[in-house]
Amino acid sequence: MKHIAALQDLVTAASLDGEPSTAELDAIELEMPLIRAEVELLDAQIMTIDRPVSELDERRIRRAGRKVLAARRVLANKAATLVPGVGA
């Protein structure tokens, strides 16, 4: 019978305990406008869970949805300009 304790070092990755790298932080910073827009859309949707949707709620959700789409477009355009040979 094999003991799992002998394989403990193989299962546990020590590198996962560290802080995010500079590249990971830069990627998060690049995506932050999209994250904020998605949170705003989620907040607008959550407000309508326990009550009927009013005209103001509909406008708020549509506006937040447009912000998400705009943020995705900007992020996609930035990603295309960062990849050499794409979009040129």
Side-chain angles (χ1 to χ4, degrees), residues 13-61:
S15 64
L16 295 177
D17 295 334
E19 297 291 323
S21 68
T22 304
E24 292 169 333
L25 292 174
D26 290 342
I28 292 169
E29 186 66 30
L30 184 67
E31 293 178 9
M32 192 52 75
L34 175 59
I35 294 168
R36 286 188 187 113
E38 288 175 338
V39 168
E40 185 177 336
L41 175 59
L42 186 60
D43 285 343
Q45 292 170 335
I46 288 172
M47 286 191 297
T48 63
I49 286 177
D50 61 345
R51 61 185 167 90
V53 179
S54 68
E55 185 179 335
L56 181 62
D57 293 329
E58 288 177 2
R59 282 189 268 162
R60 185 177 293 125
I61 290 171

Side-chain angles (χ1 to χ4, degrees), residues 57-77:
D57 293 329
E58 288 177 2
R59 282 189 268 162
R60 185 177 293 125
I61 290 171
R62 279 196 312 269
R63 187 179 325 117
R66 286 192 303 267
K67 284 184 181 181
V68 168
L69 292 175
R72 285 182 183 165
R73 182 184 65 237
V74 168
L75 186 61
N77 288 337

Side-chain angles (χ1 to χ4, degrees), residues 75-88:
L75 186 61
N77 288 337
K78 283 183 184 178
T81 60
L82 295 177
V83 177
V86 175

